[in-house]
Amino acid sequence: MRRLLRIFKITRVFARYRLDTLFEQLNLRWYARVLLMLMLWRYVIPVGGRSQGQRLRLALEELGPVFIKFGQMLSTRRDLLSDDLALELKKLQDQVPPFESAYSQQLIERALGAPVEEFFAEFNATPMASASVAQVHEALLYNGEEVVVKVIRPGIEKTIRKDMAVLYTIAQLVQALWVEGRRLKPVEVVADYENTIFDELDLRKEAANGSQIRRNFENSPILYVPEIYWDLTRQNVLVMERIHGIPVADVEQLKAQNTDMKKLAEQGVEIFFTQVFRDSFFHADMHPGNIFVSRENPSAPQYIAVDFGIVGSLSPEDQSYLARNFLAFFQRNYRQVAQLHIDSGWVPPDTNVQAFETAIRSVCEPIFEKPLKDISFGMVLMGLFQTARRFNMEVQPQLVLLQKTLLNIEGLGRQLYPELDLWETGQPFLERWMKERMGPKAVYRSMKQQAPDWLDKMPHLPQMAYDALNQLKSLDDSRRRDMLALSVARHELQQQRGYKWRWIGLICLVAAAGFSLDDPLFAARELPAISWLLGTAGVVLLLRH
């Protein structure tokens, strides 16, 4: 009943903001178009002066936190949405009123198993910030270190589960009603979102992600990650070092302290490429609210990152293909770009390489009309993915996260320093990475890493050879048994098919006899044609089977 009431509310919001207009341009199945025409509110409620994107954003905000976060995730899916919808969804604000301070303190004490006074010299019950999933309080440890305490909002899991069930229903409807629905996998998009949002409910995962990135950039002059206090961290409570930096979007304050903006922008690009290609573990939620700049040493600025609920990772194969795609693109080698998409499995193996190359060239060539400093890596990726979508490119979740992060980094970099040339910053890194990965040193390093394994296995080589021969013999015996079983199964199947056709032959003969008995002048030469036809078919089937 609660789910039905929730669906009723969603339908009411859908009608109020006339979201049916979003589907008019889609290639819907005929019954979906009929259903669209039967929505009576279309003829009563005016669209008004708002754009489609504005109406969708307002509808999601009215439906609550789960739908707001889902809209934020969709804003990064340029392979699913048009640019105007994606840009409007980026404006979604994940701001909700804080829950009661006393209740927040009770949750923290219940998680830690003792009053807050035992762990914190000071604890501010009034939250610093509040969002749909959690809120944050400032505190002071007895050793004098400042920390922040993040606590999960009570009852949020129940709300999420209820709304996720509705989102799955909507995704299934989209898949059934939209011709392209099955290829774009809306149910998998919702499942990916479900994994993300439930991961955010376990703050131990966020703490582990933060600890990993902190290790990767230990003593780094370009990125600082706050320390996690594991002894005070639980599933619904996270205690982390408090940082005092300038929000990266506050350009005026950064300029006021004479920050080297060019270096700051270039270091953001360097952090991205280091995380993606060196570590294969990148912070995938690098919007301005999660990035700060240290107040120390403005001439050599250092980033500070927080909130590690969403991270991404690439396989070695994806890393290699991505780096080679970037390099091939800037060399205008579109044939290689097309072939790399096929080799990586991002598009079907039977794709026409020449047609794919032509499509990529038609999208990419206009980009090179701009100066290199104005070319966006994120837009390059988006253009490639949109082109590949016409060639049945499968949705790649890890690449979607990467594209989202790259767009954030680029937007941030150009906001800090509009003249930023991402290619000049990124090309040497990519070329150096490819050389280290593919060159003679990489081969030597791989052999050196595997040498201990070879030495350990050498004394066991005779036994391993004996075992291998036994396995081959067993495999041979097993194959003979499988072939025999297959032969028997094939014979039984042929027999079953023979029985079926014999029955059909008998039915044909009976039917022929029935037609002939209807003839008052029962004589062979006067049998109707249908009787001859059925009789002949019956005899042939009986003789053949």
Side-chain angles (χ1 to χ4, degrees), residues 375-412:
I375 295 177
S376 160
F377 271 89
M379 298 305 289
V380 167
L381 265 189
M382 193 169 68
L384 289 176
F385 291 167
Q386 287 177 342
T387 304
R389 190 173 73 178
R390 303 206 308 267
F391 290 81
N392 297 316
M393 176 176 174
E394 294 285 335
V395 174
Q396 305 287 329
Q398 74 280 14
L399 297 183
V400 169
L401 270 181
L402 181 82
Q403 178 184 305
K404 166 196 168 184
T405 307
L406 187 49
L407 286 168
N408 281 338
I409 289 291
E410 281 191 325
L412 191 61

Side-chain angles (χ1 to χ4, degrees), residues 74-117:
L74 279 182
S75 71
T76 68
R77 295 300 304 269
R78 300 297 184 93
D79 57 327
L80 301 180
L81 299 180
S82 60
D83 289 347
D84 58 327
L85 285 179
L87 290 172
E88 192 64 38
L89 290 183
K90 283 184 72 174
K91 300 177 184 176
L92 282 166
Q93 296 298 310
D94 186 16
Q95 295 176 344
V96 296
F99 53 92
E100 268 189 59
S101 300
Y103 196 22
S104 175
Q105 186 167 326
Q106 288 175 17
L107 288 171
I108 294 168
E109 290 177 342
R110 195 179 306 156
L112 298 179
V116 291
E117 291 79 8

